[in-house]
Amino acid sequence: PKPAPPLAGASGHPALHQSGALHTTGEALYVDDMPPPVGMLHAWLVQSTEASARLVAVDASEARALPGVRAVLLHADLPPGAANALGPVAHDEECFAEEYVHCVGQVIGVAVAETAALAKQAAGLVRVTYDRVETFGAQAGAPTQAPIMSVDEAVAQDSYYPTTDHSLERGGDVEAALRESGAVVVEGTYRIGGQEHFYLEPNSTLCVPDEGGLRVHASTQAVTKTQNFVAKVCGLPAHKVVCHMKRMGGGFGGKETRTVFASCACAVAAHVLGAPVRLTLERDADMQITGQRHAFVAKYRAAARPGEGGAPPTLLALDVDLFSNGGCALDLSGPVMDRALFHVDNCYRWPAFRARGRVCRTHQAPHTAFRGFGGPQGMMVTEAIMDHLAAALGADPDALREANLYKGGDVTPFGQALEADEWHVPAAWADALASAQVAERRAAAEAFNKQHRWRKRGVAVMPTKFGIAYTAKFMNQGGALVHLYTDGTVLVSHGGTEMGQGLHTKVCQIVAHAFGVPLDKVFVHETASDKVANTIPTAASMSTDLYGMAALDACHQVLKRLEPAREALGPEATLAQVATAAHMRRIDLSAHGFFAVDDKRCGFDWTIDPVGPDGARDETRRGRPFNYFTQGVGVAEVELDCLSGDHHVLRADLVVDVGASVNPALDVGQIEGAFAQGQGLSTIEEVIWADSDHAWVKPRGRLFTRGPGAYKPPSFNDVPRDLRVRLMPNVPNRFAVHSSKAIGEPPLFLGHAVLLALRRAVGAAREEHLGPEAARAAYEPLHSPATSERLRMACGDRFAREAVEALGGVAEAFQARGSF
């Protein structure tokens, strides 16, 4: 079909988010806002108070005797034929714990009552008797030992998920490069804390019995996964369970898998009791048991060759081991670590490269997907290494970075070539340096630092690339259903879910563009498993690529059928007239569209041996992990109060390659929000557990930061006072719908530029208080998050040194504690 003429609101226009007015007025309905069905009951989870124990007895008699309590359901109460096992990859979780609990907050049962308050009271009356065990699956009577909480403890006890031990190698001999004569070699450990999703809407599910089946209204990114597991725990066939998802109040990856256990508990209650049941988690329970972004620890060695005659240094080798805290069940920790491995090169060419990743099994809640999915952690490690190398070389960090950026035609450690017409980071770098006036602002910051002893400024520049595709090939598919009505309006259903990111708006723009109608003529009502089946979770920033193309495929089918009616009516006929004429001719006005990413441009299989018959290692034997890369460069300027550790972001400049944007307004909004979330990850958002570094929190294994009183996402006072976003022009992407690029996750890492700028400000403080040579010799890694405590103590002034030494510590070795 011929392309429709551009219309306001069609693809490429900065149309308003279609639910934006409802969001801002409070009229948007979420699961917990839905009017209660007749006879609706309320559920509350019965949860473990121990992190590692055997269940000796569960006594629910007192709770069941409470007036108004309908039931307290345990694993023995599951319907006939039901399966208790849960888990998106390995089925290593349970709907209701049977014999062991492995984290504080693990679900043991569910209390159901006439009110939420009564259900909460009943859950609290369930008496659980525990027998502590040493480790996962230990038998009763084994010697007790403190639950494993940190990466270091897991490594010491060899507690890993064995299926997650993956590695990448490329280029020359790493050991030989590290021994090269004249090379500068750095070695160290870098630590990255976790991050709470802190979506505005906590987990919520409403289950309604429906003629032997169930209708499940859930705040989830995974409609089909919810449908399938609800069916299994209720002993039902999948076609008797319909999952509905209107909108989420945020997800950020936290509702990709970690909603399923709550929906299943609610569904069992509704199915067993034959009544509608609602379960909405309170914030503290949601934070305790749904998992966070994975904490990482990296152990690295890296080498660079000093430049000659004023030339910048050249990278030689990187050898890095990544460890993540996966929690007590596998969830998506394996793929998260894989993406960290795929991104630990960031945008730099390492001639000799070796990286290994392992997921640690601990007694924290299962950790899960979070915007960026391991990519940010991998790149954060790289940038720490680059700063460490620059300090050891006595080189300008910007010059080191710029000189070693990939160039068009270079190949990544996993064997994917960066084609010259697709690789835009060098151009974005030059654009950012010029448009952000980096040289002038850095000179001004240095002048400021000379005049202020206790306030320091820093300016940092940092690139990013983020691979777009699911590395599991089968997931790179999507479907859509398009209905054209005889009044010229269009109803679209697709497999993606709306969590505020504007996916439905973009899909509607693509459909409006195809039919040549205004945007208000196209609508997405909800996502539901009876409209588009066998869907993929809305994740990996892939949804517009998949569902935009699937919807476009459906539109093309309908438009092709309309051609006889359009030819008969002439070019001036409206879509309503054409649709009516086609209907009278008995032409189908509905179509199911489908899209799958090119087989050659996605899919990486870790089970394939990368060593070929000739004995040479070639990662391309395993496949190609990404369809393309979304790229960008961030500049951040900060001011640090050295006496308190408080800081402000004075300005941030972001240059991002989003291809030919479907909706520039939504994309800029995604970039701004992602930057703030990345800034929070790197600075003020600190997850604290009851672990060996925080022994005062009881019981061991409890999450201390379980609400806004103890956990601090960025607020109005934290975001940049001056934030400038620039979308690169003339960079179409031939591998996605309407030449656009995915945008949800890639910009998050740009927020890490704030930590790099803070590292520069801290460096200025240390040079003043310790002297340039001593500051260089005692390199400060500035682990993430760079909280006020870490920043204050890193400045190295006499007050900080005296405080450490008064406690018997060594000032040069001091690091603030954290839950890593």
Side-chain angles (χ1 to χ4, degrees):
K2 294 181 179 179
L7 290 169
S11 185
H13 288 259
L16 291 176
H17 191 297
Q18 286 195 312
S19 295
L22 299 177
H23 292 157
T24 53
T25 60
E27 296 174 88
L29 289 180
Y30 299 91
V31 173
D32 202 47
D33 299 319
M34 294 177 65
V38 175
M40 188 187 79
L41 303 173
H42 297 265
W44 208 272
L45 299 179
V46 178
Q47 300 172 262
S48 169
T49 57
E50 291 286 339
S52 178
R54 185 175 67 89
L55 296 176
V56 177
V58 180
D59 182 2
S61 57
E62 186 178 356
R64 288 168 174 155
L66 198 65
V69 173
R70 295 293 185 88
V72 177
L73 303 174
L74 308 173
H75 72 88
D77 301 307
L78 290 174
N84 196 28
L86 302 176
V89 179
H91 292 179
D92 58 352
E93 300 180 61
E94 295 170 326
C95 182
F96 300 135
E98 295 186 21
E99 186 176 3
Y100 293 97
V101 290
H102 299 302
C103 69
V104 171
Q106 184 169 338
V107 179
I108 297 172
V110 62
V112 188
E114 294 172 0
T115 67
L118 195 56
K120 181 178 183 179
Q121 182 183 357
L125 291 174
V126 177
R127 306 303 176 200
V128 182
T129 305
Y130 303 93
D131 177 21
R132 269 207 162 170
V133 295
E134 178 183 10
T135 187
F136 297 98
Q139 299 301 310
T144 60
Q145 180 172 307
I148 302 169
M149 294 303 297
S150 69
V151 167
D152 290 344
E153 291 171 355
V155 171
Q157 298 186 45
D158 200 33
S159 180
Y160 301 108
Y161 291 95
T163 59
T164 66
D165 188 347
H166 292 158
S167 62
L168 292 172
E169 292 185 36
R170 188 174 180 85
D173 186 324
V174 171
E175 296 300 331
L178 290 167
R179 294 192 302 266
E180 181 178 304
S181 176
V184 172
V185 179
V186 298
E187 184 173 350
T189 300
Y190 192 66
R191 300 177 182 275
I192 303 166
Q195 185 182 22
E196 166 60 32
H197 302 89
F198 218 90
Y199 27 69
L200 292 179
E201 177 203 21
N203 270 282
S204 188
T205 303
L206 171 62
C207 292
V208 183
D210 184 16
E211 297 185 357
L214 284 171
R215 284 184 287 117
V216 181
H217 300 271
S219 179
T220 182
Q221 296 171 233
V223 167
T224 293
K225 197 181 300 292
T226 301
Q227 173 199 17
N228 288 338
F229 277 107
V230 163
K232 289 178 180 179
V233 298
C234 291
L236 293 170
H239 74 286
K240 297 290 283 184
V241 177
V242 178
C243 183
H244 302 264
M245 217 303 294
K246 177 70 174 178
R247 63 169 62 86
M248 282 169 276
F252 309 118
K255 295 178 180 177
E256 182 177 347
T257 61
R258 302 311 303 162
T259 60
V260 172
F261 74 92
S263 293
C264 286
C266 183
V268 168
H271 186 56
V272 169
L273 298 176
V277 177
R278 193 194 317 262
L279 171 62
T280 298
L281 300 185
E282 288 190 328
R283 179 67 63 182
D284 60 341
D286 192 296
M287 294 179 72
Q288 173 72 57
I289 61 176
T290 59
Q292 290 93 30
R293 185 188 297 277
H294 295 74
F296 267 64
V297 174
K299 299 182 184 297
Y300 63 85
R301 295 180 298 159
R305 183 186 301 118
E308 297 180 358
T314 304
L315 298 178
L316 291 174
L318 174 62
D319 180 24
V320 61
D321 281 280
L322 301 178
F323 303 89
S324 70
N325 191 325
C328 67
L330 184 59
D331 196 75
L332 298 175
S333 295
V336 167
M337 176 57 78
D338 294 343
R339 187 167 279 265
L341 288 171
F342 287 132
H343 286 78
V344 76
D345 60 325
N346 197 5
C347 297
Y348 310 113
R349 182 179 179 274
W350 299 92
F353 177 95
R354 181 170 63 204
R356 181 186 185 188
R358 282 172 283 180
V359 178
C360 298
R361 190 177 187 188
T362 69
H363 289 97
Q364 295 183 7
H367 294 305
T368 191
F370 196 139
R371 198 177 195 171
F373 204 75
Q377 292 98 312
M379 293 184 283
M380 289 165 78
V381 169
T382 317
E383 295 304 328
I385 295 169
M386 295 297 284
D387 276 350
H388 196 172
L389 278 170
L393 290 159
D396 174 47
D398 293 349
L400 176 66
R401 287 179 167 87
E402 183 174 10
N404 290 280
L405 290 173
Y406 282 126
K407 297 178 175 59
D410 283 344
V411 179
T412 66
F414 42 90
Q416 186 163 332
L418 302 169
E419 302 298 338
D421 62 340
E422 300 171 26
W423 183 239
H424 303 130
V425 166
W429 183 278
D431 188 338
L433 291 182
S435 62
Q437 302 172 301
V438 171
E440 296 89 337
R441 287 165 59 196
R442 180 156 292 145
E446 290 172 357
F448 177 91
N449 292 342
K450 291 177 181 178
Q451 297 170 2
H452 297 81
R453 181 173 178 81
W454 299 110
R455 298 190 78 85
K456 300 297 179 183
R457 290 183 177 178
V459 180
V461 190
M462 187 197 72
T464 187
K465 68 168 173 39
F466 192 86
I468 303 301
Y470 294 98
T471 51
K473 178 172 287 188
F474 82 93
M475 297 183 74
N476 294 282
Q477 60 174 304
L481 180 63
V482 171
H483 297 306
L484 172 61
Y485 294 103
T486 55
D487 66 350
T489 61
V490 184
L491 180 65
V492 182
S493 298
H494 61 82
T497 57
E498 176 65 50
M499 61 194 92
Q501 82 278 38
L503 171 62
H504 287 350
T505 302
K506 284 187 173 183
V507 171
C508 286
Q509 287 183 261
I510 292 165
V511 171
H513 193 100
F515 282 112
V517 296
L519 183 58
D520 62 5
K521 300 293 185 182
V522 185
F523 184 62
V524 176
H525 181 259
E526 65 171 2
T527 305
S529 59
D530 61 346
K531 306 296 189 301
V532 177
N534 306 313
T535 60
I536 301 301
T538 302
S541 305
M542 280 288 291
S543 297
T544 300
D545 288 17
L546 295 178
Y547 304 116
M549 284 296 288
L552 189 60
D553 175 47
C555 292
H556 287 166
Q557 294 177 47
V558 174
L559 286 167
K560 181 69 176 177
R561 297 176 202 153
L562 291 178
E563 285 180 357
R566 186 173 292 281
E567 290 174 1
L569 294 176
E572 301 303 318
T574 65
L575 182 61
Q577 292 169 330
V578 173
T580 299
H583 177 64
M584 298 304 292
R585 295 184 179 205
R586 298 181 298 175
I587 293 174
D588 185 9
L589 301 182
S590 298
H592 174 265
F594 183 77
F595 174 75
V597 176
D598 187 332
D599 193 63
K600 297 178 181 179
R601 297 190 63 85
C602 65
F604 193 90
D605 188 349
W606 290 96
T607 65
I608 296 174
D609 188 351
V611 178
D614 59 355
R617 181 167 180 140
D618 181 5
E619 301 293 350
T620 62
R621 289 171 53 86
R622 292 170 159 175
R624 175 191 176 109
F626 303 122
N627 189 19
Y628 61 87
F629 294 96
T630 297
Q631 307 153 46
V633 172
V635 180
E637 181 178 3
V638 300
E639 184 174 316
L640 172 65
D641 181 342
C642 299
L643 290 174
S644 68
D646 189 25
H647 72 274
H648 292 283
V649 183
L650 303 179
R651 177 174 161 183
D653 297 76
L654 313 177
V655 178
V656 186
D657 163 24
V658 298
S661 174
V662 172
N663 187 317
L666 290 180
D667 285 353
V668 168
Q670 285 290 291
I671 293 168
E672 292 172 339
F675 178 88
Q677 205 162 37
Q679 175 190 339
L681 165 66
S682 299
T683 57
I684 65 173
E685 293 188 50
E686 184 170 32
V687 175
I688 297 175
W689 291 85
D691 52 26
S692 298
D693 273 0
H694 306 91
W696 46 272
V697 183
K698 304 292 184 182
R700 185 177 175 89
R702 184 170 73 91
L703 179 66
F704 175 69
T705 48
R706 297 198 316 279
Y711 187 81
K712 298 296 181 184
S715 63
F716 295 116
N717 196 44
D718 300 305
V719 296
R721 296 175 179 179
D722 183 354
L723 176 57
R724 308 182 187 193
V725 177
R726 174 175 166 80
L727 305 184
M728 293 186 73
N730 305 316
V731 284
N733 172 36
R734 62 182 182 275
F735 303 112
V737 62
H738 289 184
S739 301
S740 63
K741 278 192 173 183
I743 195 60
E745 294 170 288
L748 182 136
F749 180 62
L750 295 177
H752 190 63
V754 173
L755 186 144
L756 300 192
L758 286 167
R759 191 177 282 143
R760 287 207 167 194
V762 166
R766 291 174 68 84
E767 284 192 11
E768 178 160 342
H769 295 295
L770 302 178
E773 291 303 317
R776 180 178 171 184
Y779 175 70
E780 168 54 56
L782 195 58
H783 300 305
S784 174
T787 59
S788 295
E789 178 186 16
R790 290 195 177 91
L791 291 167
R792 171 65 192 93
M793 299 306 291
C795 287
D797 57 90
R798 68 180 180 88
F799 301 119
R801 296 174 65 83
E802 289 172 2
V804 174
E805 291 166 358
L807 296 173
V810 179
E812 289 78 10
F814 176 81
Q815 290 292 331
R817 295 176 177 181
S819 291
F820 299 113

